Every structure is written in structure tokens, then in C-alpha cells.
Amino acid sequence: MAAAGAGAGAGAGAAVLAASVQDFVAGQQDGRAAEVVAGVKDGSWTVLQLVEALGSCLENTDPRMRGRGIQLLSQVLLQCYSLLQEKEVLHLVLFYENRLQDHHLVIPSVLQGLRALSMCEVLSPGLAVSVLKAIFQEVHVQSLLQLDRHTVYSIITNFMGTREEELKGLGADFTFGFIQVMDGEKDPRNLLVAFQIVRDLIAKNYALGPFVEELFEVTSCYFPIDFTPPPNDPHGIQREDLILSLRAVLASTPQFAEFLLPLLIEKMDSDLQSAKLDSLQTLTACCAIYGQKELQEFLPSLWSSLRREVFQTASEKVEAECLAALHALSACLSCSVLSSDTEDLLDSFLSSILQDCRHHLCEPDMKLVWPSAKLLQAAAGASLRAYHCVTSSVLPLLLEQYTKHPQSSQRRTILEMLLGFLELQQKWGHVEEDESTLLSLRAPVCSVVFSALTDPSVQLQLVGIRALTVLGSLQGFLSPSDLELVVDHLIRLALHEEDSQSSEAAMEAAGSLAPLYPKVFSGHMVPRLEEELQSEGQEESPRDHCSLRQRCLQALAAVSTHTSIVRETVPVLLQHLRKVQKGSEAGNAQDMVSVCQSLHRVALQCQQDAESCWYYHQTVVPCLLAMAVQAAMQESTHPLLGKALLEEEVLAAMVPVISAATTHLSPELATQSVSHVVPLFLDGEVSFLPQNSFPCSFQPFEDGECLEAQRRLVALLMAFVCSLPRDVAIPQQERLLHELLVLSCSCNCPFTATTAAKCFAGLVNKHLAGQQLDEILQLAVNRMELGLAEGPCRMQALTLLLWVTKALVLRYHPLSSRLTDKLLGLLGDTELGPTAADGFSLLMAESPDVLHKGCHADVRIMFRQRFFTDNVPKLVQGFHGAGPDVKANYLKGLSHVLNHLPKPVLVTELPTLLSLLLEALSCSDRVVQLSTLSCLQPLLLEAPQIMSLHVDTLVTKFLSLTSSPTMAVRIAALRCAHALTSLPTTVLLPYKARVIRALAKPLDDKKRLVRKEAVAARGEWFLLGSPGR
């Protein structure tokens, strides 16, 4: 009974299979193939049973019926090839090979079946060769459709990946068969696969036999690639993909050299720039695998073509590729191993280059001088051997020419060429005494560079400073006496050269060379700078002396690029700061700001070195705090002493110094430092400060008018605690937050209240989430609501609200939306509305001192986009419902948000917001106008189609604002008028005459920057609609 049941089940399965086959073949129901595949996978029937069911179809006299039958079998095999047994594969391969002789309508399905079988792991030895022979013999591949040709390439690729040794057994016949398959291919999708097959043929050492030239011809016929992808191409094949793929083939074997190099030389002479570039890049790629043997015959022609292109081309791209190719040729010839009986091709090649280029270096005013220098430098830069060969001829010539030509402009050209060769020496570092031309010319080279440094021409000085930096970087080149002379020149240029460009360049050079020669700079330069700084400057005018002091401070900072030098310069800077603090000159505050700026630069230079960073921190931070505390305590008893140190601009200049000294501390050292600084402000613990004998106690958070000066120092506390790494625990943090909260809401001094609010916000941003944070935030909200309701402290409460909102928006805290709504509500307040609107700029912009990533703040990605999505609809809604006297506040807030939004995001939202932006241009508030213009200018370039719908309004508004009383608005309006020219020409032409007339007025503006923008904008409008645009 069981057997009968099984038989009945099998019979039913066969009937189902037969029905599915019939529906697919005769009924043209393609969906039946999936059912047959599912049956094979779940074991309802086997592939053999499918073949039996297809029997009558496969023998049908109608080729369409046979084709449908084989199509079904091939679709099943493509899904189920991994289930086949070795014997089944053998029979199927023989069957499919036989069918390759069938009607052309059947061939595509046969190839699909063979592709499936080519992926079988159980393929018997010899079958891969058999299949490929059959395809090569029976199928005219290039007469097939693209997809079917692609199938043939896939079969070949599969066999090359799994049956490499068998295919290599075919010898050159396999290469010849593939050449026949590929010959005449035109479809880029197939070419990418075919090129890869050729690369594998060569890379895996398949026998090419006598067919090297044929293989080259069948691929090189596509060179150079001329392909433009159709619009909306779903395959995404770019011209560059084909270029790189073909280049990899052509540059894959030296065997192609005799055929390829003449082709490249021919294409270099082409009028098409793309062909030139492709040829040059291919030549560069070939040099990586070629040797002297391949290049020898073609070197004269290659050099002739390269020289001509560099001498004659107007294209920087072509010139750059020519120089890269020459460099590659020189490198290739340098690497070739010489035998005793072979000619040194590098020597003869470089001799040709020197012969054709050297004499042009004697004509510094002629146009071929720079192309010649570049060619020589490209060849020389390939190897040390090439460098010695070229420089032994060129350097003496350049030094001679420098002496012969007295004009500064000519000397500058010659020195720039010399500098190019000096920079090449840097690639090999140490100057070898036995073979270096440069070392034998040390005295004249130094003499030329030093003479350039004393030349009246600033441009020549600048090149001389660059050359000096390069010479200093060549280890062992400068003697001790030369180094002392270098330092003297740098000091003179940095301090006494009238032109600021030379002075700044000298300082940069000192900073570059100081780490290489720390003893020389700390022993000679730092003492000289200190001496100049301390001199009274009695022979100079006060203005000149002030300028000299400024430069001394800048130079001390610039040279502080090594730990040992930092230990010399920091005490000098701090000593000068103390001296200025004790002085009673009118310009004290500005002097202090200058010292702080130099200290800040040193701090930034110390950040990457842990030792320097910690030394700087423990030296500078306590010293600045001690000076500030001293000044604050003297304020109540001696009002004139130290007053400059407490001015806002000085404290503001100290903030980045302390911040930069803190951000890069290790957590252990930061913890050590915070254990001193926080108790100083909370408990008046001054024991860690230098010179800590103060006349009274330090209580910045206590009440009392006499403590106002002490309270201002909260700015320094903010700089320190808000720059600490996030994982550093702050002692007594809750108490500190409470004190800052009280101070920010109650202090009458705007500077102190703002810094307290910023410090509170910086700590809240980094505070761990949890109950403690929730409690302190609730306390802050209560304080803000109370302060905003009424009374004299409304502005302080708004400042606190803005900074706390920013702190929470950055970290995506849930309370941020509630605080933002409160801020939106204040836009309707006649007193606080304008300030609240400006606050939206604060929320969106990068803050320089707190709440940015550099000071380890918690800043989530895309917070601006999220803020925009959540709040711009509310701003728009508020604008439409607001009274006329406060509408401008909503426009200002919206303009600030949009101005700081990433432009791609703004472009997508532009259609809904553009009308409001245009209305904002009519607002009388200058800030709104400027912010809106800054927002619109990039949109004119990035969304011209949308903007062109409002061209009439835009032209009118922009032209009107070019007469604004505010210079910044006039400049922004002119830039927007300029950007209008990126809109479609047909849209703009009706306005051309009107705009040109209107832009004539700002051409006479009293401000040079306005006139400059007007000239640029009017020029573009004049050219509008002219040919070639």
C-alpha cells in the first residue's frame, strides 16, 4: 500500500511538472519557471526528470519551441547548479555543446545553460576546455545580442577563475579563441569584462604565442576611449571606468611596448586634449613595468613629443601630465640594471634633455625659461642618480646667472629655479659628501640665498626665505657659522623689515627650522628677542617701539616649535606680561592682548607633544590666574594698579590661552589640575598659585560691589572647566553649577553674567544624564522664568536661556524643545524680541570658546538639520500671526537659522521658504538684510531654476540694497547681483540694461571694497548673452 502511495505521489509530481513545462513552453507563461525551480530545490523532482519532461519540446521541429524548452532548463540550472552530481553535469555539458549547432534562436538559451554549468564545482576535468572549444568553433559571438555576448564573457571568466591549469593546457589556442570572441565588441558593459579577461590572460601568464600583436590590436583599437554615457544611464558606466580598464590592459606587459609606444607618440600629437592626456597617463603607467630594452628605440621620439607639448601647450593639465611622464621615464631608466657591455641610457637621455633645455635657463626674461626648468626638475626628481647628473650641470649655471643678472625680477626667477632643485634634494634627506654637487657648491649657494635676503625687493626676499628653509632642512648642509648667520637674517627680517610679508615669512621659517636646530635657536634667537623686548626703545618713536614689541612677541611665539625652546620662550612672555601689568602706559590693554595672542599660538603648537603641553599648562595657567587674582584684589584698594588686566578685551584674550592649554591634557593630568582650579574659585584656595601672598581673600561668588572685579574672573574659570575632557570629574560640580546659575541671573555686569551663563551651559552640556542633571536644569528653568517675567534682570535671564538652550540642543536633550518654544515666545516681546531673534544665530553658529568639539563638548551630528525641522514651521507660523511691530523679529530669527543651515538641505526646502526670504529683504533691520543676502547668494548658484521664478523681485531688491547706508549690506547686495548672472540667460536679458545702469552708481562708492564688487558684478552683466558664454 505504501509503495502504491509513493508511486501515486511520484506520478502526481510528474503530472504537475509536465503541466508546468507545457504551460511555460507552449503557453508562454514565464512565471511557471519559478515553480519548476522550487520543485527541484525541495526535491519534488530532479533535473533529470525535468529533461525527460522536456523531451518532446527539445526534439520539436519548431526552433521557437526548442528554444523555450532549453530556456526553461537553463533557468532552472542557473538557480540549482549547486545541486547537480558530476555525472549529471557531464551529460548536460555534452547536450548543450551539441545544441550550439542548433538554430540561432536557440543559442542564447544554450549559452545561459553553459554559464550555469561553468559555475559547477563538480565539473569533470577536460569539460571546460571542451565547452570553450565548442563556443570558439560553433558560435559567431559578435553576431549575438549584447546580453548573450556578455554571457560568453561570463563563461570564460568563470572557467579562468576555477580551471586555470586546464585552460593553460590549450596553449595559445585559448588566446586566439578569445581574440575571435572579442573582435569587434562595441558595448561598454561587455568591454569592461573583456578588458578584465585580457588583464588576467597576461597577469596569470597564459600563453600568448604568436598572437601578441593580435591581442594588442583587438584591445588598442579602442584607444583613446571616446564614450559619453547616455543620460539617466541605469548601468552607471562612466568614460573614466573604460579609460582605466583599458589602460590597465595596455600597461600590463612589456610585450606590447613595440606596438604601444608608436601609438602613444601618434596620439600625443593629436589635436584632442583628452587624447593627449590619455596617452601621457598611459605612458606613465607603462614606465612602471618597462625596462631600457623596451624604451631604447623610442626615447628620442618620446622626448621630442614631451618637450614640444611643454614648450607649446596652453593647458596646465597637459603640462602636468607631460612632466609626470618624463619623471616616470627617468625613473624607469634609473631602475634598469646595467650590464658592463650596455649603454647607460639614463645618461644619454638626460644629456638630450640638458642639451635642449639648459641654454634657456640663461634667459630669465624669456617664456621658455620656466618650461625648461620644469622639464629638468621632472627628470632630476626621479632618482638620486638622475638628480646628480642634472644638478652637476644646472646648479653652477644658475649660480653664475644669478651673479650676471642684477635686476631683482630676473634674480627672483633664477632663485625660484634654484629653489626647485634644492627642494628635490629634500626627497633624499642627508647630503652625501662624496657625490653631492650641492655640497661642493655650499659657499656660493649660501651666498646667493643670503644676498636675496638683503635685497630691497620683497618678492626676492620671500623666495630667499623659502630657499633658506629648504637649505636648513638638508641635514649636514649648513655649517655652525652658516646657522648663526641664518638666525641673524631671520631676526633682522622678522623684527626690522618694513614689509609685513617678509616679516611673517621669516617667523614661519624660524618655526620650521627651530625643531631641527633647537640649541642654535634657543641659544641665539631667543636671547636676542628677549633683549629687544626689554629694551626701552629711546631712539625710536613710541609707535615704532610698539610695532617692534609686537613683532618680538610674534617671533617668540613662532619659534616655539620645540620643547626645549618652549621652556625658554614661555618664561620670557610671562615676564613681559607682568612688566606690562605693572606699567602705567595708555596702551597697556593692547600690549596684554598681544602677549596673550602669542601665548595662545605657543599653546596650539604645544598641543601635539604631551611633555610640552603639560609644561605649558602648569607654567602658564597658574601664572595667568595669579596675575588676574592679584589685579582683582588690588582693584578695590589701588584702582589704577592692574586695571588693564581686568578689561574685557584682555580677559577675552586670556580665555583661548587657558582653553588651548587644557583641551589636550591627559585625563590624569587634567584631574590633577582641576583639583586646584575649582577650589580656587569656590573656596579661595590660592596655595597652588605662584606669588600667593594676596592682601585679601578671593571670593568671586560672594555678594558685594567691591568684589565686582573678582567676579569678572569667572571668564578664566569658564576657559578652564569648559575645555576639560569629558571623562574628567569636576570636584564640587553641583555647588559650582549652583553658584554660576545665581551669578548669571543676578550680576549687573553683562560681561560677568554672560561668561557665567556660558560656563554653566558648558558644564551642563557635558554633565552625565540622570537625576542630578534634571534637578539642576529644573532649577535653571525656574530661575529663568522668574527673571524673564519682570524686573531689572530680564536680559541676563534671556542670555542664560540662550546658552542653556544651545547646550541642550547640541546634545539632543529632551528639554531643549521646551526651552526653544520659550525662546520663540519671546520673539513677540517688544523689549526682548530683537535680542531673542539674534539668539537664533548663537544657537546655530559655531561658538569660539565653549560648546564646540574642540573643547570636548557633546555635539551630535546634524543638530542644525534637526533644529531646522523642529522649529522653522513654528517661526513661519509665528510670523503670520504676529503684529506688525514684531514681524521683523521672526524674519530675523528665520534668516539666522537658514543662514547656518547646510546648503543642500536649504535647497530642498527653498520653494516653501523663498517668499519669506524675499520679504525679509524689505525689512529695515540691517542684520536681517545682511543675513538674508548671505543666505540667498549661494542659493542663486545652486538652485537657479527655482530662483529664476522670482527674478523680477530679486533684481529690484538687490539693486535697492546697493544704496544701503551699511557697507556690509552694499557689498552683499552686489555679490548677489553678481550671482544673479548664473540664472538662465533668457530669463535675465530683459533686465540687462536696467541692472547695468543701476550698477554704475556703486562704481563711485567711497569704499574701495564696494567699488571692487560693483566692477565684478557689472562686468558679468555686460558679458551676459555674448557669444561663448
Side-chain angles (χ1 to χ4, degrees):
M1 289 290 288
V16 172
L17 176 59
S20 297
V21 167
Q22 190 63 25
D23 289 342
F24 182 90
V25 175
Q28 302 289 315
Q29 296 181 26
D30 290 348
R32 291 292 189 181
E35 296 174 12
V36 177
V37 168
V40 172
K41 285 184 174 179
D42 64 22
S44 299
W45 44 76
T46 64
V47 173
L48 186 60
Q49 288 173 316
L50 172 60
V51 174
E52 289 172 355
L54 284 166
S56 59
C57 306
L58 300 177
E59 294 169 0
N60 197 301
T61 55
D62 184 353
R64 290 181 183 79
M65 295 293 283
R66 292 201 304 278
R68 287 292 287 179
I70 294 175
Q71 182 185 347
L72 176 59
L73 179 58
S74 295
Q75 286 187 16
V76 171
L77 290 177
L78 283 168
Q79 298 288 321
C80 307
Y81 62 86
S82 59
L83 304 175
L84 296 172
Q85 301 297 316
E86 185 174 348
K87 209 163 190 176
E88 291 175 317
V89 173
L90 173 61
H91 290 304
L92 285 166
V93 166
L94 294 173
F95 165 73
Y96 273 107
E97 281 182 8
N98 181 264
R99 290 295 174 167
L100 283 173
Q101 301 171 16
D102 206 332
H103 194 277
H104 69 86
L105 290 175
V106 178
I107 299 300
S109 298
V110 175
L111 291 172
Q112 288 293 349
L114 287 171
R115 181 165 76 90
L117 295 169
S118 72
M119 294 186 279
C120 289
E121 292 180 9
V122 294
L123 197 71
S124 301
L127 286 184
V129 170
S130 174
V131 168
L132 290 179
K133 277 185 171 178
I135 291 174
F136 293 160
Q137 190 172 339
E138 304 295 345
V139 183
H140 184 243
V141 176
Q142 288 306 315
S143 66
L144 301 174
L145 294 174
Q146 179 271 325
L147 182 61
D148 303 324
R149 300 198 306 274
H150 194 279
T151 304
V152 174
Y153 295 127
S154 298
I155 294 168
I156 296 171
T157 302
N158 292 339
F159 283 146
M160 287 179 74
T162 58
R163 297 288 187 272
E164 183 179 328
E165 292 308 317
E166 288 182 38
L167 299 192
K168 284 182 177 177
L170 275 171
D173 289 347
F174 175 59
T175 304
F176 180 67
F178 173 72
I179 290 170
Q180 287 181 307
V181 166
M182 183 186 172
D183 194 11
E185 181 59 67
K186 291 184 177 62
D187 191 279
R189 291 164 290 182
N190 291 349
L191 283 172
L192 284 177
V193 185
F195 291 156
Q196 182 61 53
I197 292 172
V198 179
R199 286 216 298 278
D200 289 342
L201 278 173
I202 294 165
K204 294 179 180 178
N205 295 314
Y206 282 79
L208 304 186
F211 304 116
V212 173
E213 186 172 2
E214 285 78 0
L215 186 62
F216 172 76
E217 291 295 338
V218 85
T219 49
S220 64
C221 62
Y222 302 101
F223 183 87
I225 294 287
D226 181 21
F227 167 67
T228 304
N232 306 317
D233 178 20
H235 308 288
I237 295 174
Q238 299 298 316
R239 180 170 174 268
E240 192 67 17
D241 300 327
L242 289 163
I243 288 173
L244 294 175
S245 190
L246 176 57
R247 184 176 302 150
V249 170
L250 297 177
S252 61
T253 174
Q255 295 180 73
F256 285 166
E258 61 179 304
F259 316 115
L260 177 60
L261 290 173
L263 176 65
L264 295 180
I265 293 166
E266 177 195 333
K267 297 300 180 185
M268 276 187 224
D269 298 341
S270 165
D271 293 333
L272 285 175
Q273 181 172 309
S274 59
K276 287 182 193 288
L277 291 172
D278 203 352
S279 302
L280 291 163
Q281 288 164 354
T282 304
L283 174 60
T284 303
C286 289
C287 287
I289 62 160
Y290 285 4
Q292 290 205 12
K293 180 163 67 79
E294 287 78 24
L295 291 172
Q296 183 168 11
E297 181 187 343
F298 304 99
L299 280 175
S301 300
L302 286 168
W303 163 238
S304 176
S305 296
L306 292 172
R307 182 191 62 212
R308 185 185 62 253
E309 287 301 327
V310 173
F311 279 0
Q312 296 178 3
T313 187
S315 164
E316 288 184 11
K317 283 184 183 177
V318 172
E319 181 188 88
E321 293 301 338
C322 282
L323 296 174
L326 181 60
H327 181 278
L329 280 170
S330 182
C332 176
L333 297 175
S334 301
C335 295
S336 297
V337 179
L338 296 173
S339 58
S340 57
D341 57 342
T342 56
E343 179 192 358
D344 183 358
L345 283 183
L346 177 66
D347 220 28
S348 57
F349 183 60
L350 293 177
S351 296
S352 300
I353 297 172
L354 283 164
Q355 184 180 342
D356 290 344
C357 296
R358 190 175 182 272
H359 62 279
H360 291 301
L361 303 184
C362 304
E363 303 162 343
D365 292 330
M366 306 304 283
K367 71 172 188 175
L368 290 182
V369 65
W370 269 116
S372 298
K374 287 175 182 177
L375 285 166
L376 287 165
Q377 286 165 9
S383 69
L384 196 53
R385 191 154 67 97
Y387 180 76
H388 289 319
C389 181
V390 173
T391 53
S392 62
S393 172
V394 170
L395 290 187
L397 176 70
L398 289 175
L399 293 169
E400 180 191 328
Q401 293 302 312
Y402 186 90
T403 313
K404 274 187 180 178
H405 293 83
Q407 287 185 20
S408 295
S409 60
Q410 295 171 328
R411 287 189 159 191
R412 177 190 166 194
T413 301
I414 295 164
L415 188 56
E416 281 184 327
M417 290 190 285
L418 181 64
L419 175 61
F421 288 102
L422 295 177
E423 285 171 339
L424 291 176
Q425 176 71 58
Q426 284 181 303
K427 290 169 65 173
W428 295 285
H430 188 71
V431 183
E432 298 292 340
E433 290 195 27
D434 56 338
E435 56 183 5
S436 173
T437 309
L438 193 56
L439 209 59
S440 65
L441 297 171
R442 172 162 52 194
V445 167
C446 287
S447 172
V448 161
V449 172
F450 291 152
S451 79
L453 299 177
T454 55
D455 194 273
S457 164
V458 173
Q459 297 306 315
L460 183 53
Q461 283 179 17
L462 292 173
V463 181
I465 292 168
R466 282 165 52 206
L468 192 66
T469 309
V470 174
L471 289 180
S473 69
L474 300 176
Q475 188 184 353
F477 184 80
L478 294 175
S479 66
S481 59
D482 288 335
L483 282 169
E484 289 186 22
L485 202 52
V486 165
V487 171
D488 289 341
H489 278 297
L490 290 177
I491 293 172
R492 178 184 57 77
L493 289 166
L495 300 187
H496 304 294
E497 178 56 47
E498 285 184 25
D499 189 87
S500 61
Q501 276 183 288
S502 293
S503 174
E504 288 167 13
M507 292 182 200
E508 290 298 323
S512 300
L513 295 175
L516 303 174
Y517 309 100
K519 288 183 180 177
V520 177
F521 279 85
S522 59
H524 290 80
M525 190 167 193
V526 176
R528 289 271 299 279
L529 292 172
E530 183 180 8
E531 185 185 324
E532 290 280 4
L533 197 60
Q534 291 174 350
S535 68
E536 297 300 324
Q538 293 167 348
E539 298 174 11
E540 301 160 337
S541 67
R543 183 176 176 182
D544 289 343
H545 185 55
C546 180
S547 172
L548 180 62
R549 276 204 310 261
Q550 287 270 78
R551 286 195 175 183
C552 280
L553 293 170
Q554 291 167 358
L556 281 166
V559 81
S560 303
T561 49
H562 187 272
T563 307
S564 63
I565 300 175
V566 169
R567 290 175 181 273
E568 302 282 339
T569 55
V570 165
V572 173
L573 290 169
L574 293 175
Q575 183 58 41
H576 185 67
L577 188 61
R578 291 191 195 96
K579 178 184 172 185
V580 174
Q581 183 194 7
K582 290 173 184 170
S584 55
E585 298 170 28
N588 267 7
Q590 189 50 51
D591 281 350
M592 287 185 171
V593 169
S594 298
V595 180
C596 289
Q597 286 169 345
S598 290
L599 284 169
H600 181 230
R601 179 171 177 177
V602 178
L604 294 174
Q605 290 165 183
C606 288
Q607 286 180 342
Q608 304 310 317
D609 180 69
E611 183 189 345
S612 299
C613 189
W614 177 234
Y615 165 77
Y616 183 91
H617 182 88
Q618 65 178 355
T619 306
V620 174
V621 173
C623 181
L624 292 183
L625 290 172
M627 290 170 66
V629 170
Q630 181 83 39
M633 290 179 178
Q634 288 175 341
E635 174 74 0
S636 53
T637 52
H638 304 85
L640 292 176
L641 280 176
K643 190 171 178 66
L645 196 63
L646 301 173
E647 289 186 21
E648 285 182 26
E649 60 176 326
V650 178
L651 289 173
M654 283 186 177
V655 166
V657 177
I658 295 175
S659 179
T662 307
T663 51
H664 283 65
L665 287 181
S666 67
E668 300 76 28
L669 296 175
T671 302
Q672 185 181 328
S673 191
V674 76
S675 66
H676 296 306
V677 176
V678 171
L680 167 67
F681 281 85
L682 289 179
D683 305 314
E685 181 54 62
V686 296
S687 58
F688 82 102
L689 298 177
Q691 304 167 355
N692 54 21
S693 55
F694 300 117
C696 58
S697 58
F698 182 57
Q699 301 169 316
F701 290 116
E702 297 294 323
D703 290 332
E705 279 190 32
C706 63
L707 298 175
E708 175 56 42
Q710 294 188 16
R711 284 196 282 273
R712 294 165 78 84
L713 302 193
V714 170
L716 306 185
L717 172 68
M718 172 197 77
F720 177 77
V721 294
C722 291
S723 301
L724 291 167
R726 235 184 289 176
D727 52 357
V728 174
I730 296 173
Q732 307 180 69
Q733 185 170 10
E734 308 313 314
R735 178 186 164 198
L736 179 60
L737 283 165
H738 187 270
E739 296 284 11
L740 289 166
L741 182 59
V742 172
L743 185 61
S744 66
C745 289
S746 59
C747 184
N748 293 324
C749 170
F751 175 79
T752 304
T754 301
T755 50
K758 287 160 78 172
C759 190
F760 179 84
L763 292 173
V764 161
N765 173 265
K766 296 182 193 177
H767 200 297
L768 291 173
Q771 187 180 349
Q772 284 185 327
L773 178 62
D774 294 341
E775 288 174 1
I776 197 74
L777 286 175
Q778 189 54 52
L779 198 62
V781 169
N782 295 341
R783 280 266 183 180
M784 287 185 284
E785 286 179 345
L786 193 65
L788 288 168
E790 56 186 23
C793 296
R794 293 189 78 201
M795 194 58 77
Q796 289 93 317
L798 174 57
T799 302
L800 179 64
L801 172 62
L802 285 168
W803 282 103
V804 174
T805 304
K806 182 177 178 72
L808 299 183
V809 163
L810 292 178
R811 64 180 280 179
Y812 289 178
H813 192 279
L815 185 62
S816 62
S817 56
R818 180 178 156 195
L819 296 183
T820 308
D821 288 344
K822 195 175 289 295
L823 198 57
L824 287 164
L826 288 172
L827 292 174
D829 187 298
T830 50
E831 180 191 351
L832 296 179
T835 309
D838 283 329
F840 280 89
S841 176
L842 185 151
L843 294 181
M844 298 292 282
E846 188 82 10
S847 174
D849 44 13
V850 293
L851 296 177
H852 61 88
K853 286 184 178 178
C855 63
H856 312 290
D858 186 356
V859 182
R860 305 295 175 88
I861 60 169
M862 298 176 72
F863 77 89
R864 291 183 178 89
Q865 288 90 319
R866 180 169 172 167
F867 187 87
F868 169 85
T869 306
D870 292 346
N871 297 293
V872 164
K874 297 175 186 175
L875 275 168
V876 174
Q877 186 181 351
F879 168 79
H880 290 304
D885 53 336
V886 293
K887 270 185 181 291
N889 298 336
Y890 289 91
L891 285 175
K892 187 189 285 190
L894 176 68
S895 183
H896 283 315
V897 173
L898 298 182
N899 204 19
H900 289 95
L901 199 65
K903 292 303 175 271
V905 180
L906 185 52
V907 168
T908 58
E909 303 290 337
L910 191 56
T912 55
L913 296 170
L914 190 53
S915 57
L916 273 177
L917 283 171
L918 295 175
E919 191 160 345
L921 289 177
S922 303
C923 180
S924 58
D925 190 306
R926 305 294 177 223
V927 176
V928 177
Q929 291 173 354
L930 189 57
S931 180
T932 308
L933 288 167
S934 303
C935 186
L936 286 171
Q937 186 195 350
L939 294 176
L940 287 163
L941 304 173
E942 293 175 32
Q945 297 304 323
I946 300 170
M947 301 299 278
S948 59
L949 300 174
H950 302 268
V951 65
D952 190 68
T953 311
L954 289 167
V955 168
T956 304
K957 302 278 189 189
F958 293 159
L959 294 181
S960 167
L961 290 171
T962 58
S963 304
S964 166
T966 309
M967 183 181 84
V969 173
R970 296 200 300 277
I971 289 173
L974 287 165
R975 284 177 179 164
C976 285
H978 189 166
L980 273 174
T981 57
S982 63
L983 301 188
T985 305
T986 49
V987 175
L988 296 176
L989 282 175
Y991 302 92
K992 181 176 177 178
R994 174 186 164 192
V995 173
I996 289 172
R997 276 197 310 274
L999 291 180
K1001 183 183 175 186
L1003 290 176
D1004 295 325
D1005 196 281
K1006 60 184 178 181
K1007 295 291 185 181
R1008 182 182 64 82
L1009 293 176
V1010 177
R1011 296 196 299 272
K1012 180 183 170 188
E1013 295 295 340
V1015 168
R1018 198 162 185 256
E1020 282 298 316
W1021 276 90
F1022 262 118
L1023 293 172
L1024 198 70
S1026 58
R1029 285 180 58 81

